Protein backbone atom coordinates (compact mmCIF):
# COMPACT_ATOMS: atom_id res chain seq x y z
CA UNK A 1 0.00 0.00 0.00
CA UNK A 2 1.22 3.51 -0.88
CA UNK A 3 0.25 6.07 1.76
CA UNK A 4 0.64 9.81 1.39
CA UNK A 5 1.10 11.47 4.79
CA UNK A 6 0.92 15.28 4.62
CA UNK A 7 2.65 17.42 7.25
CA UNK A 8 4.94 14.54 8.21
CA UNK A 9 7.84 16.84 9.12
CA UNK A 10 5.77 18.53 11.84
CA UNK A 11 5.17 17.53 15.45
CA UNK A 12 2.41 14.90 15.22
CA UNK A 13 3.10 14.01 11.59
CA UNK A 14 6.68 12.95 12.33
CA UNK A 15 5.49 10.48 14.99
CA UNK A 16 2.84 9.10 12.60
CA UNK A 17 5.38 8.73 9.78
CA UNK A 18 7.85 6.92 12.08
CA UNK A 19 5.15 4.58 13.40
CA UNK A 20 3.93 3.63 9.92
CA UNK A 21 7.43 3.32 8.37
CA UNK A 22 8.71 1.06 11.17
CA UNK A 23 5.55 -0.93 11.94
CA UNK A 24 4.56 -1.61 8.31
CA UNK A 25 7.70 -2.35 6.26
CA UNK A 26 5.47 -3.46 3.36
CA UNK A 27 3.81 -0.05 3.07
CA UNK A 28 5.45 2.73 1.05
CA UNK A 29 5.18 5.96 3.04
CA UNK A 30 5.39 9.32 1.26
CA UNK A 31 5.81 12.37 3.48
CA UNK A 32 4.63 15.54 1.72
CA UNK A 33 5.59 18.71 3.58
CA UNK A 34 6.19 22.35 2.70
CA UNK A 35 8.72 22.70 5.54
CA UNK A 36 7.25 25.87 7.01
CA UNK A 37 8.72 27.20 10.26
CA UNK A 38 7.01 24.19 11.94
CA UNK A 39 8.36 21.51 9.61
CA UNK A 40 11.72 20.00 10.50
CA UNK A 41 13.29 17.00 8.78
CA UNK A 42 15.56 16.54 11.79
CA UNK A 43 12.44 15.03 13.41
CA UNK A 44 12.84 12.05 11.05
CA UNK A 45 16.63 11.74 10.74
CA UNK A 46 16.51 8.23 12.27
CA UNK A 47 14.30 6.83 9.49
CA UNK A 48 15.22 8.92 6.44
CA UNK A 49 17.30 6.10 4.89
CA UNK A 50 14.54 3.48 5.14
CA UNK A 51 13.59 1.96 1.79
CA UNK A 52 9.88 2.36 2.40
CA UNK A 53 10.16 6.12 3.11
CA UNK A 54 10.19 9.02 0.60
CA UNK A 55 10.13 12.74 1.36
CA UNK A 56 8.36 15.08 -1.09
CA UNK A 57 8.83 18.80 -0.53
CA UNK A 58 5.72 20.65 -1.66
CA UNK A 59 2.76 22.83 -0.81
CA UNK A 60 -0.80 21.47 -0.63
CA UNK A 61 -2.03 24.89 -1.79
CA UNK A 62 -0.26 24.17 -5.11
CA UNK A 63 -2.81 22.07 -7.04
CA UNK A 64 -0.43 21.45 -9.97
CA UNK A 65 2.17 19.99 -7.61
CA UNK A 66 -0.44 17.67 -6.04
CA UNK A 67 -1.60 16.58 -9.51
CA UNK A 68 1.97 15.64 -10.45
CA UNK A 69 2.60 13.79 -7.20
CA UNK A 70 -0.63 11.75 -7.43
CA UNK A 71 0.06 10.92 -11.12
CA UNK A 72 3.61 9.84 -10.38
CA UNK A 73 3.21 7.88 -7.14
CA UNK A 74 -0.39 6.60 -7.39
CA UNK A 75 -1.17 6.81 -3.68
CA UNK A 76 -3.72 4.34 -2.32
CA UNK A 77 -4.55 6.39 0.77
CA UNK A 78 -3.97 9.80 2.35
CA UNK A 79 -3.47 10.69 6.00
CA UNK A 80 -3.80 14.46 6.06
CA UNK A 81 -2.05 16.33 8.86
CA UNK A 82 -0.50 19.34 7.06
CA UNK A 83 -1.87 22.52 8.60
CA UNK A 84 -1.13 25.82 10.18
CA UNK A 85 -1.61 24.75 13.78
CA UNK A 86 -1.03 27.58 16.26
CA UNK A 87 -4.01 29.55 17.60
CA UNK A 88 -1.96 32.67 18.40
CA UNK A 89 -0.61 32.85 14.85
CA UNK A 90 -4.16 32.46 13.51
CA UNK A 91 -5.15 35.56 15.48
CA UNK A 92 -2.34 37.56 13.82
CA UNK A 93 -2.73 36.10 10.30
CA UNK A 94 -6.06 34.31 9.65
CA UNK A 95 -5.60 34.16 5.86
CA UNK A 96 -2.58 31.87 6.11
CA UNK A 97 -4.91 29.43 7.92
CA UNK A 98 -7.58 29.69 5.21
CA UNK A 99 -4.91 29.03 2.55
CA UNK A 100 -3.39 25.87 4.00
CA UNK A 101 -6.17 24.46 6.15
CA UNK A 102 -9.13 25.14 3.86
CA UNK A 103 -7.85 25.60 0.31
CA UNK A 104 -5.00 23.10 0.78
CA UNK A 105 -7.45 20.48 2.10
CA UNK A 106 -9.92 21.05 -0.76
CA UNK A 107 -7.04 20.76 -3.27
CA UNK A 108 -6.10 17.40 -1.74
CA UNK A 109 -9.72 16.20 -1.79
CA UNK A 110 -10.10 17.22 -5.46
CA UNK A 111 -6.87 15.54 -6.50
CA UNK A 112 -7.64 12.34 -4.60
CA UNK A 113 -11.16 12.20 -6.03
CA UNK A 114 -9.89 12.64 -9.58
CA UNK A 115 -7.14 10.01 -9.29
CA UNK A 116 -9.24 7.48 -7.42
CA UNK A 117 -12.33 7.82 -9.65
CA UNK A 118 -11.95 4.34 -11.26
CA UNK A 119 -12.56 2.52 -8.01
CA UNK A 120 -13.15 4.76 -4.99
CA UNK A 121 -13.74 1.76 -2.74
CA UNK A 122 -10.04 0.80 -2.79
CA UNK A 123 -8.98 4.13 -1.29
CA UNK A 124 -9.12 6.17 1.91
CA UNK A 125 -8.83 9.85 2.78
CA UNK A 126 -8.19 10.17 6.52
CA UNK A 127 -8.38 13.73 7.82
CA UNK A 128 -6.74 14.67 11.14
CA UNK A 129 -8.53 17.40 13.07
CA UNK A 130 -8.88 18.97 16.47
CA UNK A 131 -11.37 19.11 19.35
CA UNK A 132 -11.21 22.92 19.07
CA UNK A 133 -13.88 22.76 16.31
CA UNK A 134 -16.45 22.07 19.06
CA UNK A 135 -15.84 25.44 20.74
CA UNK A 136 -15.45 25.99 24.46
CA UNK A 137 -16.94 24.09 27.42
CA UNK A 138 -18.06 25.49 30.77
CA UNK A 139 -17.14 23.89 34.09
CA UNK A 140 -18.50 20.48 33.11
CA UNK A 141 -19.51 18.32 30.15
CA UNK A 142 -17.43 16.65 27.44
CA UNK A 143 -17.20 16.96 23.65
CA UNK A 144 -18.70 13.91 21.93
CA UNK A 145 -18.84 13.08 18.22
CA UNK A 146 -22.38 14.54 18.24
CA UNK A 147 -21.44 17.93 19.73
CA UNK A 148 -22.36 20.75 17.33
CA UNK A 149 -19.46 22.61 15.77
CA UNK A 150 -18.86 26.05 17.30
CA UNK A 151 -15.33 27.16 16.36
CA UNK A 152 -14.25 30.40 17.99
CA UNK A 153 -10.67 31.10 16.85
CA UNK A 154 -9.50 31.60 13.24
CA UNK A 155 -7.53 28.34 13.65
CA UNK A 156 -10.52 26.30 14.79
CA UNK A 157 -12.76 27.98 12.18
CA UNK A 158 -10.34 26.90 9.44
CA UNK A 159 -10.15 23.33 10.80
CA UNK A 160 -13.96 23.16 11.14
CA UNK A 161 -14.27 24.29 7.54
CA UNK A 162 -11.84 21.60 6.38
CA UNK A 163 -13.79 18.94 8.35
CA UNK A 164 -17.02 20.08 6.66
CA UNK A 165 -15.41 19.80 3.22
CA UNK A 166 -14.17 16.28 3.99
CA UNK A 167 -17.70 15.21 5.04
CA UNK A 168 -19.18 16.98 1.99
CA UNK A 169 -16.91 14.94 -0.31
CA UNK A 170 -18.08 11.75 1.43
CA UNK A 171 -21.78 12.58 1.02
CA UNK A 172 -21.63 14.29 -2.39
CA UNK A 173 -19.01 12.28 -4.26
CA UNK A 174 -18.77 9.09 -2.21
CA UNK A 175 -15.09 9.71 -1.41
CA UNK A 176 -14.17 7.20 1.34
CA UNK A 177 -13.20 9.35 4.32
CA UNK A 178 -12.56 9.14 8.04
CA UNK A 179 -12.04 12.02 10.47
CA UNK A 180 -10.60 12.17 13.96
CA UNK A 181 -10.72 15.12 16.35
CA UNK A 182 -8.02 15.06 19.01
CA UNK A 183 -7.33 17.05 22.15
CA UNK A 184 -4.04 18.89 22.90
CA UNK A 185 -0.95 16.79 22.23
CA UNK A 186 2.42 17.02 23.95
CA UNK A 187 5.71 15.14 23.64
CA UNK A 188 9.07 15.18 21.79
CA UNK A 189 9.48 17.41 18.69
CA UNK A 190 6.75 19.84 19.76
CA UNK A 191 7.54 23.33 18.45
CA UNK A 192 8.35 25.67 21.37
CA UNK A 193 5.60 28.17 20.62
CA UNK A 194 3.01 25.85 22.22
CA UNK A 195 2.53 25.93 25.99
CA UNK A 196 4.44 22.84 27.18
CA UNK A 197 7.62 23.04 25.05
CA UNK A 198 7.72 26.84 25.43
CA UNK A 199 7.57 26.47 29.20
CA UNK A 200 10.22 23.70 29.22
CA UNK A 201 12.54 25.89 27.14
CA UNK A 202 11.99 28.95 29.34
CA UNK A 203 12.32 27.07 32.62
CA UNK A 204 15.53 25.48 31.37
CA UNK A 205 16.92 28.92 30.47
CA UNK A 206 15.50 30.59 33.61
CA UNK A 207 13.32 32.92 31.53
CA UNK A 208 9.77 34.05 32.46
CA UNK A 209 7.08 31.45 31.77
CA UNK A 210 4.10 33.33 30.31
CA UNK A 211 0.71 32.19 31.58
CA UNK A 212 -2.21 33.81 29.79
CA UNK A 213 -4.85 35.46 31.98
CA UNK A 214 -5.14 33.74 35.36
CA UNK A 215 -4.02 30.31 34.11
CA UNK A 216 -7.51 28.92 34.70
CA UNK A 217 -8.11 27.60 31.18
CA UNK A 218 -8.37 23.83 30.99
CA UNK A 219 -6.95 21.52 28.30
CA UNK A 220 -7.12 17.72 27.99
CA UNK A 221 -3.54 16.59 27.26
CA UNK A 222 -2.59 13.48 25.27
CA UNK A 223 0.91 12.07 24.75
CA UNK A 224 1.70 12.39 21.03
CA UNK A 225 2.62 8.70 20.61
CA UNK A 226 -0.83 7.76 21.91
CA UNK A 227 -2.35 10.01 19.24
CA UNK A 228 -0.18 8.29 16.59
CA UNK A 229 -1.39 4.87 17.89
CA UNK A 230 -5.00 6.06 17.66
CA UNK A 231 -4.44 7.21 14.07
CA UNK A 232 -3.02 3.76 13.24
CA UNK A 233 -6.09 2.03 14.71
CA UNK A 234 -8.62 4.36 13.06
CA UNK A 235 -6.81 4.19 9.69
CA UNK A 236 -7.02 0.38 9.71
CA UNK A 237 -10.23 -0.33 11.63
CA UNK A 238 -12.36 2.82 11.77
CA UNK A 239 -15.68 2.93 9.92
CA UNK A 240 -15.86 4.83 6.63
CA UNK A 241 -17.61 8.19 6.95
CA UNK A 242 -17.25 8.13 10.74
CA UNK A 243 -15.71 10.59 13.17
CA UNK A 244 -13.67 9.52 16.21
CA UNK A 245 -12.82 11.76 19.15
CA UNK A 246 -9.40 11.17 20.71
CA UNK A 247 -8.52 12.48 24.19
CA UNK A 248 -6.36 11.75 27.17
CA UNK A 249 -9.01 11.74 29.96
CA UNK A 250 -6.50 14.14 31.41
CA UNK A 251 -7.77 17.63 32.17
CA UNK A 252 -5.38 20.21 33.59
CA UNK A 253 -5.74 23.88 34.42
CA UNK A 254 -2.83 25.67 32.74
CA UNK A 255 -1.43 26.98 36.02
CA UNK A 256 -1.53 23.54 37.72
CA UNK A 257 0.20 22.03 34.71
CA UNK A 258 2.96 24.66 34.71
CA UNK A 259 3.50 24.18 38.45
CA UNK A 260 3.87 20.40 37.95
CA UNK A 261 6.33 21.05 35.14
CA UNK A 262 8.34 23.50 37.29
CA UNK A 263 8.54 20.91 40.09
CA UNK A 264 9.58 18.08 37.74
CA UNK A 265 12.27 20.28 36.20
CA UNK A 266 13.60 21.49 39.57
CA UNK A 267 14.15 17.85 40.47
CA UNK A 268 15.76 16.90 37.15
CA UNK A 269 18.00 20.01 37.09
CA UNK A 270 18.92 19.67 40.79
CA UNK A 271 17.38 23.04 41.58
CA UNK A 272 15.95 23.95 44.94
CA UNK A 273 12.27 22.95 45.26
CA UNK A 274 10.07 25.93 44.29
CA UNK A 275 12.85 27.67 42.33
CA UNK A 276 11.25 27.47 38.86
CA UNK A 277 7.74 28.40 40.06
CA UNK A 278 9.18 31.89 40.57
CA UNK A 279 9.49 32.18 36.77
CA UNK A 280 5.70 31.99 36.30
CA UNK A 281 4.54 35.32 34.86
CA UNK A 282 0.89 36.17 34.27
CA UNK A 283 0.44 38.03 30.98
CA UNK A 284 -2.42 39.56 29.00
CA UNK A 285 -4.97 36.92 28.00
CA UNK A 286 -5.31 35.53 24.46
CA UNK A 287 -8.16 37.18 22.52
CA UNK A 288 -11.26 34.95 22.59
CA UNK A 289 -9.43 32.40 24.78
CA UNK A 290 -11.51 29.19 24.97
CA UNK A 291 -12.07 28.27 28.63
CA UNK A 292 -12.12 24.50 28.58
CA UNK A 293 -11.69 21.57 26.19
CA UNK A 294 -12.42 17.99 27.29
CA UNK A 295 -13.04 14.96 25.12
CA UNK A 296 -15.21 11.88 25.48
CA UNK A 297 -13.20 9.15 23.68
CA UNK A 298 -15.51 6.29 24.64
CA UNK A 299 -16.45 5.54 21.01
CA UNK A 300 -12.79 4.96 20.09
CA UNK A 301 -12.16 3.04 23.31
CA UNK A 302 -15.26 0.83 23.13
CA UNK A 303 -15.40 0.18 19.38
CA UNK A 304 -11.69 0.01 18.53
CA UNK A 305 -10.09 -0.84 21.88
CA UNK A 306 -7.69 2.12 22.00
CA UNK A 307 -6.64 3.72 25.27
CA UNK A 308 -3.85 6.10 26.36
CA UNK A 309 -0.70 4.19 27.35
CA UNK A 310 0.96 6.64 29.75
CA UNK A 311 -0.15 8.78 32.66
CA UNK A 312 0.38 12.53 32.35
CA UNK A 313 3.13 12.54 34.98
CA UNK A 314 5.01 9.82 33.04
CA UNK A 315 4.45 11.44 29.64
CA UNK A 316 5.48 14.87 30.90
CA UNK A 317 8.60 13.46 32.54
CA UNK A 318 9.59 11.65 29.30
CA UNK A 319 8.96 14.87 27.39
CA UNK A 320 11.16 16.96 29.70
CA UNK A 321 13.90 14.31 29.45
CA UNK A 322 13.72 14.45 25.64
CA UNK A 323 14.10 18.25 25.57
CA UNK A 324 16.97 18.17 28.07
CA UNK A 325 18.72 15.43 26.06
CA UNK A 326 18.25 17.20 22.71
CA UNK A 327 19.46 20.78 23.26
CA UNK A 328 20.60 21.05 19.62
CA UNK A 329 17.03 20.44 18.38
CA UNK A 330 15.77 23.31 20.53
CA UNK A 331 18.70 25.47 19.50
CA UNK A 332 18.01 24.86 15.79
CA UNK A 333 14.33 25.72 15.95
CA UNK A 334 14.70 28.72 18.25
CA UNK A 335 17.65 30.37 16.47
CA UNK A 336 17.33 32.69 13.46
CA UNK A 337 14.25 34.80 13.19
CA UNK A 338 12.11 32.77 15.54
CA UNK A 339 10.37 34.82 18.22
CA UNK A 340 7.61 33.56 20.44
CA UNK A 341 4.17 35.12 20.13
CA UNK A 342 4.57 36.32 23.69
CA UNK A 343 7.79 38.14 22.83
CA UNK A 344 6.22 39.68 19.70
CA UNK A 345 3.06 40.83 21.41
CA UNK A 346 4.12 41.75 24.90
CA UNK A 347 7.56 43.28 24.63
CA UNK A 348 6.34 46.07 26.96
CA UNK A 349 5.83 43.74 29.91
P1 LIG B 1 2.75 21.34 13.20
O1 LIG B 1 2.51 22.80 13.03
O2 LIG B 1 3.78 20.88 14.15
O3 LIG B 1 3.08 20.68 11.79
C1 LIG B 1 2.40 21.02 10.61
C2 LIG B 1 3.22 20.50 9.43
O4 LIG B 1 2.49 20.84 8.22
C3 LIG B 1 4.60 21.15 9.33
O5 LIG B 1 5.57 20.16 9.06
C4 LIG B 1 4.45 22.11 8.16
O6 LIG B 1 5.68 22.31 7.44
C5 LIG B 1 3.41 21.40 7.30
N1 LIG B 1 2.67 22.34 6.44
C6 LIG B 1 2.10 23.53 6.81
N2 LIG B 1 1.54 24.12 5.74
C7 LIG B 1 1.73 23.29 4.68
C8 LIG B 1 1.36 23.34 3.32
N3 LIG B 1 0.70 24.39 2.81
N4 LIG B 1 1.71 22.30 2.51
C9 LIG B 1 2.39 21.24 3.00
N5 LIG B 1 2.79 21.16 4.28
C10 LIG B 1 2.46 22.16 5.12
O7 LIG B 1 1.31 20.75 13.55
P2 LIG B 1 0.93 19.51 14.51
O8 LIG B 1 0.77 20.02 15.89
O9 LIG B 1 1.83 18.38 14.23
O10 LIG B 1 -0.54 19.20 13.95
C11 LIG B 1 -0.72 18.28 12.87
C12 LIG B 1 -2.20 18.16 12.57
O11 LIG B 1 -2.88 17.69 13.73
C13 LIG B 1 -2.86 19.49 12.19
O12 LIG B 1 -3.80 19.23 11.17
C14 LIG B 1 -3.55 19.93 13.47
O13 LIG B 1 -4.67 20.73 13.19
C15 LIG B 1 -3.93 18.59 14.08
N6 LIG B 1 -4.03 18.57 15.54
C16 LIG B 1 -3.03 19.05 16.33
C17 LIG B 1 -3.13 18.97 17.72
C18 LIG B 1 -2.02 19.46 18.62
O14 LIG B 1 -2.19 19.45 19.84
N7 LIG B 1 -0.86 19.84 18.12
C19 LIG B 1 -4.28 18.42 18.30
C20 LIG B 1 -5.30 17.94 17.47
C21 LIG B 1 -5.16 18.02 16.09
P1 LIG C 1 -1.44 26.06 23.15
O1 LIG C 1 -0.29 25.15 23.45
O2 LIG C 1 -1.20 27.25 22.25
O3 LIG C 1 -2.62 25.14 22.56
P2 LIG C 1 -4.17 25.53 22.24
O4 LIG C 1 -4.32 26.98 22.24
O5 LIG C 1 -4.35 24.94 20.87
O6 LIG C 1 -4.98 24.84 23.30
O7 LIG C 1 -2.03 26.60 24.51
C1 LIG C 1 -2.47 25.72 25.53
C2 LIG C 1 -3.07 26.57 26.63
O8 LIG C 1 -2.01 27.34 27.24
C3 LIG C 1 -4.08 27.60 26.15
O9 LIG C 1 -5.09 27.73 27.16
C4 LIG C 1 -3.29 28.89 26.03
C5 LIG C 1 -2.26 28.75 27.14
N1 LIG C 1 -0.94 29.37 26.90
C6 LIG C 1 -0.35 30.15 27.92
O10 LIG C 1 -0.94 30.35 29.00
N2 LIG C 1 0.89 30.66 27.70
C7 LIG C 1 1.57 30.48 26.51
O11 LIG C 1 2.70 31.01 26.35
C8 LIG C 1 0.95 29.68 25.49
C9 LIG C 1 1.65 29.44 24.18
C10 LIG C 1 -0.30 29.14 25.74
Amino acid sequence: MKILITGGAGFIGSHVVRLFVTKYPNYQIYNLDKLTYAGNLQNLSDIEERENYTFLKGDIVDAAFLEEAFAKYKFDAVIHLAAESHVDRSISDPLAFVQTNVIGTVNLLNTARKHWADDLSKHLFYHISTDEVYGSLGEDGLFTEETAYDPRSPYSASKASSDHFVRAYFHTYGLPVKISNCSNNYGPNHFPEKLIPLAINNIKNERPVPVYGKGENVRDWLYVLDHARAIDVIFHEGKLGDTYNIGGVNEWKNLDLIELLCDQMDEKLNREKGHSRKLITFVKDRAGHDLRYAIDSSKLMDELGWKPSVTFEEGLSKTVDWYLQNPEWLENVTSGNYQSYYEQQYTDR
Side-chain angles (χ1 to χ4, degrees):
M1 174 156 40
K2 293 179 171 187
I3 306 177
L4 173 66
I5 300 183
T6 69
F11 167 47
I12 301 170
S14 59
H15 291 281
V16 175
V17 166
R18 178 176 300 96
L19 180 67
F20 274 70
V21 165
T22 54
K23 185 170 172 188
Y24 303 107
N26 295 335
Y27 292 179
Q28 284 298 322
I29 304 300
Y30 298 84
N31 169 15
L32 187 167
D33 199 295
K34 183 181 173 183
L35 299 182
T36 67
Y37 79 95
N40 183 352
L41 287 177
Q42 208 185 338
N43 294 348
L44 292 165
S45 53
D46 57 321
I47 58 137
E48 66 191 1
E49 301 294 339
R50 296 273 186 137
E51 279 184 10
N52 65 336
Y53 172 71
T54 307
F55 174 66
L56 310 172
K57 184 170 185 316
D59 187 342
I60 57 169
V61 178
D62 180 351
F65 166 78
L66 289 181
E67 171 59 35
E68 231 173 78
F70 272 74
K72 181 165 177 192
Y73 297 107
K74 307 202 178 332
F75 309 118
D76 297 300
V78 172
I79 305 178
H80 176 35
L81 295 108
E84 287 293 339
S85 67
H86 190 41
V87 173
D88 292 327
R89 285 179 190 261
S90 81
I91 295 169
S92 316
D93 183 10
L95 260 185
F97 287 67
V98 175
Q99 285 291 336
T100 287
N101 300 0
V102 184
I103 296 175
T105 300
V106 176
N107 276 341
L108 262 178
L109 289 164
N110 278 340
T111 317
R113 183 181 157 232
K114 177 182 161 198
H115 283 266
W116 297 347
D118 279 353
D119 190 352
L120 282 176
S121 70
K122 288 191 178 141
H123 299 280
L124 173 62
F125 190 103
Y126 178 12
H127 178 61
I128 307 304
S129 193
T130 166
D131 62 351
E132 302 189 25
V133 297
Y134 296 121
S136 181
L137 292 164
E139 293 291 312
D140 43 41
L142 298 172
F143 297 135
T144 73
E145 287 81 0
E146 275 72 49
T147 303
Y149 275 32
D150 182 23
R152 295 152 44 103
S153 74
Y155 164 66
S156 54
S158 69
K159 291 297 291 187
S161 173
S162 66
D163 294 10
H164 288 320
F165 271 105
V166 172
R167 288 196 187 95
Y169 273 62
F170 175 73
H171 291 289
T172 309
Y173 306 113
L175 190 76
V177 308
K178 297 178 187 178
I179 300 182
S180 53
N181 296 79
C182 189
S183 63
N184 287 61
N185 285 214
Y186 69 98
N189 301 124
H190 204 185
F191 195 82
E193 64 183 353
K194 308 275 169 59
L195 178 66
I196 290 181
L198 182 138
I200 293 174
N201 194 26
N202 287 14
I203 294 168
K204 181 182 152 206
N205 293 303
E206 306 226 34
R207 289 202 300 256
V209 178
V211 172
Y212 297 169
K214 294 182 181 153
E216 285 174 344
N217 303 68
V218 174
R219 298 293 183 263
D220 173 359
W221 294 93
L222 180 69
Y223 193 54
V224 64
L225 285 162
D226 282 332
H227 187 188
R229 287 175 45 248
I231 289 173
D232 178 14
V233 172
I234 294 166
F235 178 84
H236 288 99
E237 293 165 37
K239 244 179 84 195
L240 283 182
D242 266 23
T243 293
Y244 294 87
N245 280 354
I246 313 171
V249 202
N250 180 44
E251 290 182 50
W252 283 79
K253 274 192 180 157
N254 291 340
L255 184 57
D256 295 341
L257 184 164
I258 293 300
E259 287 180 348
L260 171 67
L261 189 58
C262 286
D263 296 348
Q264 281 198 356
M265 288 188 70
D266 280 347
E267 212 175 305
K268 289 178 195 287
L269 294 168
N270 293 318
R271 289 179 183 166
E272 195 189 326
K273 193 169 184 316
H275 179 85
S276 298
R277 286 189 184 210
K278 293 184 199 135
L279 299 169
I280 294 173
T281 309
F282 294 96
V283 300
K284 190 177 150 194
D285 209 352
R286 171 186 282 171
H289 197 170
D290 288 341
L291 177 66
R292 176 172 164 259
Y293 304 143
I295 276 262
D296 178 351
S297 316
S298 50
K299 175 176 175 186
L300 176 60
M301 292 179 173
D302 297 347
E303 290 184 12
L304 304 184
W306 172 91
K307 62 176 190 321
S309 69
V310 291
T311 65
F312 189 53
E313 284 77 359
E314 286 164 355
L316 196 63
S317 171
K318 282 184 192 207
T319 304
V320 173
D321 289 345
W322 186 85
Y323 280 93
L324 295 179
Q325 285 155 15
N326 290 277
E328 73 295 341
W329 186 93
L330 259 181
E331 178 56 31
N332 283 348
V333 300
T334 52
S335 60
N337 293 327
Y338 171 71
Q339 253 201 321
S340 76
Y341 173 81
Y342 169 64
E343 282 161 338
Q344 289 170 41
Q345 303 292 316
Y346 302 121
T347 42
D348 58 342
R349 72 179 181 273

